[in-house]
Amino acid sequence: ICVFCCTFASQMENSYQTEDLQSALRTLRQGGIILYPTDTVWGIGCDATNAEAVARIYTLKRRQDSKAMLVLLDEPGKLQNYMRRVPDTAWMLLEANEGQRPMTIIYPAAKNLATNLLAEDGSVGIRITEDAFSKALCKQLRRPIVSTSANFSGEPAARLFSEIDSLLLESVDYVCQYRRSDQSTHQPSSIIKIDEHERINIIRP
């Protein structure tokens, strides 16, 4: 019985409420900033095509806008909407990594994203999220979502909701209910950069 109760509690913790999802979506559509859990750490997010919202996140994190932020997508097929060309190497990496640890790929020559989101060379980091809540957010928003760690620049990333600075909690437009009491920690993603010549640079294994 105890095993059943623990399993049921875990399932309840990791199932999101429709009202929570809809509140987050309304905030994103209105150009707001949300604080939400991802398949790695807790993140600060906004519509990745909205330059004003992106600028607010840089200000909130006390971070220079010369440092690019990554974005989430719900499925690989949408990459082509935001890349001038998706490198063949990226497709192979995504296929090989399916079902494994979260992986962020930095792609060259992004398009249709807020320009202040991109690195100076025009590249952008994108992760295909497998977390149910963030996947649903991307799918229903029909746009990629910024995902930058929920911390001030230079401070440790918040792996748990309880680790998030209270000032950050007060500064965003909506704080998601999903997984607030979850005590399981998640690994940061691996980071791989692919340049315009399809050369691979492993930034974080």
Side-chain angles (χ1 to χ4, degrees):
I1 296 174
C2 291
V3 172
F4 173 78
C5 290
C6 290
T7 302
F8 181 74
S10 176
Q11 289 173 343
M12 287 298 292
E13 175 60 44
N14 291 305
S15 60
Y16 61 84
Q17 299 297 314
T18 302
E19 294 85 354
D20 190 24
L21 181 72
Q22 292 304 315
S23 294
L25 281 168
R26 275 195 302 273
T27 304
L28 294 171
R29 287 168 179 153
Q30 292 167 2
I33 295 173
I34 65 170
L35 202 153
Y36 68 115
T38 72
D39 47 356
T40 57
V41 296
W42 273 78
I44 302 171
C46 71
D47 176 352
T49 68
N50 186 324
E52 289 185 10
V54 169
R56 282 187 61 202
I57 292 182
Y58 282 121
T59 301
L60 175 61
K61 283 179 65 79
R62 304 167 186 169
R63 179 175 175 174
Q64 295 177 346
D65 59 8
S66 59
K67 295 183 178 180
M69 295 187 290
L70 71 89
V71 302
L72 300 182
L73 274 176
D74 56 307
E75 58 181 75
K78 295 180 180 177
L79 284 167
Q80 296 170 95
N81 297 332
Y82 304 101
M83 300 291 111
R84 300 194 188 284
R85 184 182 72 84
V86 181
D88 292 336
T89 308
W91 294 122
M92 290 188 286
L93 285 171
L94 288 166
E95 184 176 353
N97 193 66
E98 190 172 354
Q100 305 300 312
R101 176 185 170 188
M103 178 179 65
T104 299
I105 297 179
I106 300 176
Y107 298 87
K111 67 176 183 179
N112 299 329
L113 294 170
T115 55
N116 55 343
L117 184 64
L118 312 181
E120 292 180 357
D121 63 0
S123 63
V124 67
I126 297 179
R127 186 169 75 248
I128 307 301
T129 181
E130 295 301 330
D131 173 79
F133 188 81
S134 52
K135 186 181 279 288
L137 275 178
C138 290
K139 183 175 182 179
Q140 294 192 37
L141 185 66
R142 298 181 181 176
R143 292 177 189 144
I145 298 172
V146 168
S147 179
T148 182
S149 56
N151 60 290
F152 293 113
S153 185
E155 295 183 359
R159 297 171 302 166
L160 303 173
F161 180 77
S162 58
E163 297 175 348
I164 301 172
D165 191 296
S166 59
L167 185 57
L168 275 179
L169 293 172
E170 295 167 3
S171 300
V172 299
D173 300 308
Y174 183 72
V175 180
C176 295
Q177 299 288 330
Y178 177 59
R179 275 179 38 204
R180 284 196 189 187
S181 59
D182 184 4
Q183 294 298 304
S184 57
T185 56
H186 299 259
Q187 283 186 305
S189 70
S190 58
I191 302 176
I192 300 173
K193 183 170 185 176
I194 304 175
D195 68 16
E196 64 274 15
H197 304 293
E198 304 224 10
R199 292 175 297 210
I200 292 176
N201 179 20
I202 300 175
I203 296 174
R204 183 166 65 200

